[in-house]
Amino acid sequence: MRKNSAAASGAPAGDVRIVGVVALAHSLSHFSQLLLAPLFPWLRDAFALSYAELGLLMTIFFVVSGIGQSLAGFLVDRVGALPVMLGSIALFVLAALVLAASNGYVMLAVGALLAGLGNASFHPVDYSILNARISHARIGHAYAAHGVSGNLGWAAAPVFLVTIAQFAGWRSAFVGAALVALVVLAVVWWYRDALQVPQQARESARVGGAGAFDFLRLPAVWLGFAFFCAFAFALGGVQSFAPEAARLLHDVPLAAVAWCLTAFMLASAGGTLLGGFIAGDPERAERVIAACFGAAALLGLSLAWLPWPGVAVPFVFAAMGAASGLANPSRDMLIRRATPPGATGRVYGVVYSGLDLGMSTSPLLFGMLMDAHSPKLVFVGIAAAQALLILGAFRTGRATRIRGVAPEAA
């Protein structure tokens, strides 16, 4: 078909089509990660829940996603990315409908579990498609677009869900999320030919015996896992309780609290777009990451200790998001350097499961800090995790150079 041939030839139009559809699906994944957090005030009142109980719902989501992600990479390498992507989006639809019908904490937990299972496959799916189908000259831009789409999904979720909840209730907000997932499912199905990974790339992943697990011996893979764990711990703090902590510390107007997270995500999306051009040279990835997360950590500490006026706090969140976003494409390039040929799904599945581990522990721990009336420590914890990313980036980059890993060809 023309869609397929254009993409296979590496034509710009084919690359744009592939990146566009993958980015749309990725934005839904990030949107679904925030199905619960923006609606915490409504759920807390409806079911008389503590902050820790609300945080546990996100822990369930990310524990399931993390376990599933490490396994999904093997599934993607064997059966292909497209069927796994379609199944994952269908799970998002089901999860949102279960949450909308919830009559207690158990159903909320089931909805979180289903959403986590749907989220599990997206990084191995997306990077398998991008690394196999996008021309080498445009792979950095593809990573940037992929990262931007995720941030846009995160930015859209709070505004979308909170707006509906304010006018029609939290159940209607979850139904609206299910409709969004159905639309994305239809788009992915319509452009399914553009997402097929060439048979040659899939065959290279079907190496039997112990060879299928050889990538687990690479130190860079486990350093990347730890790096993403720290990254997600910081991000989970921002997404779950940082806006509420800022409200308590700086008297942020209630109407502006949701915009703190949206400002962070939109600025992160802009930073990621610019970071795609910076990431063109993979040899400077560690330095870019160190500078960006160093700045983000200082901004986080300023929210803990400086007397920011409430109206200025969303702008501080935006600056912190921009600094984090600039590092994202360089982060992806760092992991690409650690990926041996034929193991894209497996490596990204294991490495990105570190995201889920960090996100699963972060909301629960930060929720406990909030219950202990320590909102300052929320920002201290976020800044500490961001500072660890500087060390992690240099350790991961050094491991890829020592080992001399040849990345998956694009």
Side-chain angles (χ1 to χ4, degrees), residues 113 147 363:
L113 184 151

Side-chain angles (χ1 to χ4, degrees), residues 17-35:
R17 184 180 299 115
I18 294 165
V19 171
V21 179
V22 170
L24 178 65
H26 186 231
S27 70
L28 176 67
S29 169
H30 283 235
F31 181 97
S32 299
Q33 289 174 24
L34 289 179
L35 273 179

